[in-house]
Amino acid sequence: DGYKAVFLAVGNAGSVDLNIPGNDAKGVVTAMDFLKTYNLRGSVPVGKKIVVVGGGNAAFDAARSAIRLGAEKVTIIYRRGQDEMPAYVEEIDEAWQEGVVLMPLTNPEEIVVEDDKVVGVKCTPMKLGEFDRSGRRRPIKEEKTFMIECDQVVMAVGQAIENPEIFERIKLKMNNNENIVVDSVSHQTSIPWLFAGGDVAVVGNADRTVIEAVAAGERAAVGIDEYLSGGNHAFWRQEKPNDTSFDPDADPVMYPRQKMNLLSIERRKNNFNEVEQPWTEAEAVRQAKRCLRCDYGH
């Protein structure tokens, strides 16, 4: 149609499939579908006893949502140790406080099905071996197995491109996880006219966050402009005068970071009210003064 450049930001809306027996049974759902269905419809089928497979933020989002939606017991199983879970520490702590059962070093081997319905997950205990290329210790299976009873399984073992067939007609460089490889500065792919950002693209070891996705859009905008015009016109990147009152020679304040107040566990049940409560204005100003001295430890 005459377009000279394309920016692809489709995200990773698909889910990685855990190829074990029973994964297509009634009562097995991906974390993405579970969360999306609730957010779009305001309701989603929730079992009484739920097993969530995974250790990332999506797994904990699904587990904490299930607790709020009336599940009697929610268990998260993860094949590595708790310290290796990629979820945020605060997510793990708050899930535990809300009653989610954590079972690290537990690997799902089979989803046990009776009469086409989920009745449990057959698991193998794990132990940690030598470090692998990711910098984490490799999980090694033990010989014994056990079963966790449940009537619903939520899979949260990873996300993937939802419609990879859109790349079938072009030779696009992708990594082993089927994510698009892009330049870290311009977000240009192996095809000069195609740029990509968000979860669908890979930039080193960058976290997959909303902020990183926004930054990808900004970097790609500059990259596309330079590709089309041959020049860098990112005028907004020029340093601007800052009239904020700040004395770089002042001594750092000696008080520590103030933790956020959290909604009590009882008041979190059966609702999605904000858990983290705001500081008072005075405390916010006090913390801002501490924050301006990033060189002062904690």
Side-chain angles (χ1 to χ4, degrees):
D1 293 334
Y3 294 99
K4 296 181 179 179
V6 173
F7 178 57
L8 188 68
V10 296
N12 273 353
S15 298
V16 174
D17 183 28
L18 191 61
N19 189 22
I20 60 175
N23 66 345
D24 56 351
K26 183 178 180 181
V28 180
V29 64
T30 67
M32 294 296 290
D33 287 339
F34 181 82
L35 295 168
K36 182 169 66 176
T37 299
Y38 175 76
N39 279 280
L40 290 177
R41 298 180 181 175
S43 64
V44 64
V46 179
K48 293 182 178 180
K49 295 181 180 180
I50 300 177
V51 169
V52 179
V53 182
N57 286 322
F60 282 87
D61 285 346
R64 297 179 69 187
S65 295
I67 287 286
R68 285 160 170 74
L69 292 170
E72 295 176 1
K73 183 179 181 180
V74 179
T75 304
I76 289 181
I77 62 174
Y78 182 60
R79 67 192 187 109
R80 298 180 187 268
Q82 185 171 323
D83 291 340
E84 284 77 35
M85 285 182 171
Y88 297 146
V89 174
E90 57 267 27
E91 285 278 351
I92 298 173
D93 290 344
E94 290 176 23
W96 177 78
Q97 292 174 25
E98 292 168 5
V100 175
V101 178
L102 304 181
M103 291 187 65
L105 295 175
T106 303
N107 190 65
E109 295 288 340
E110 177 186 353
I111 298 173
V112 183
V113 180
E114 293 181 3
D115 298 327
D116 199 34
K117 294 182 180 179
V118 173
V119 295
V121 179
K122 184 180 178 181
C123 301
T124 303
M126 309 291 284
K127 63 180 180 180
L128 295 179
E130 298 297 324
F131 289 94
D132 60 18
R133 288 186 298 176
S134 70
R136 298 181 297 178
R137 294 177 65 183
R138 187 185 304 277
I140 302 173
K141 292 182 181 180
E142 301 275 15
E143 293 185 2
K144 58 184 178 181
T145 62
F146 64 96
M147 191 176 88
I148 304 174
E149 292 184 2
C150 65
D151 55 9
Q152 187 176 33
V153 177
V154 179
M155 294 291 189
V157 294
Q159 294 168 228
I161 298 172
E162 192 170 27
N163 299 301
E165 60 272 12
I166 66 175
F167 305 124
E168 289 179 354
R169 295 170 59 185
I170 57 177
K171 293 183 179 179
L172 187 62
K173 184 178 180 181
M174 305 179 80
N175 68 0
N176 293 334
N177 295 325
E178 297 186 347
N179 291 116
I180 301 171
V181 177
V182 298
D183 181 82
S184 61
V185 177
S186 66
H187 278 255
Q188 190 174 37
T189 71
S190 57
I191 298 174
W193 52 264
L194 181 61
F195 297 73
D199 282 358
V200 74
V202 174
V203 183
N205 295 319
D207 290 334
R208 294 184 173 183
T209 61
V210 173
I211 288 297
E212 188 59 36
V214 172
E218 195 269 353
R219 290 191 291 263
V222 178
I224 292 171
D225 177 67
E226 189 166 1
Y227 169 71
L228 296 175
S229 68
N232 189 320
H233 303 122
F235 61 87
W236 59 88
R237 289 184 177 177
Q238 297 175 3
E239 187 172 351
K240 299 178 182 178
N242 191 340
D243 58 1
T244 301
S245 176
F246 173 61
D247 181 5
D249 298 320
D251 292 332
V253 296
M254 301 305 292
Y255 49 84
R257 174 185 297 174
Q258 176 65 38
K259 291 184 177 181
M260 301 290 288
N261 293 322
L262 302 179
L263 201 66
S264 67
I265 302 299
E266 289 299 318
R267 293 176 61 191
R268 300 183 202 179
K269 293 181 179 179
N270 303 317
N271 65 72
F272 285 84
N273 294 338
E274 190 71 40
V275 172
E276 293 183 344
Q277 301 300 295
W279 287 320
T280 62
E281 181 178 355
E283 185 59 48
V285 171
R286 186 170 178 264
Q287 289 297 306
K289 290 180 178 178
R290 183 197 62 78
C291 190
L292 284 172
R293 287 306 303 264
C294 300
D295 57 325
Y296 175 57
H298 306 291

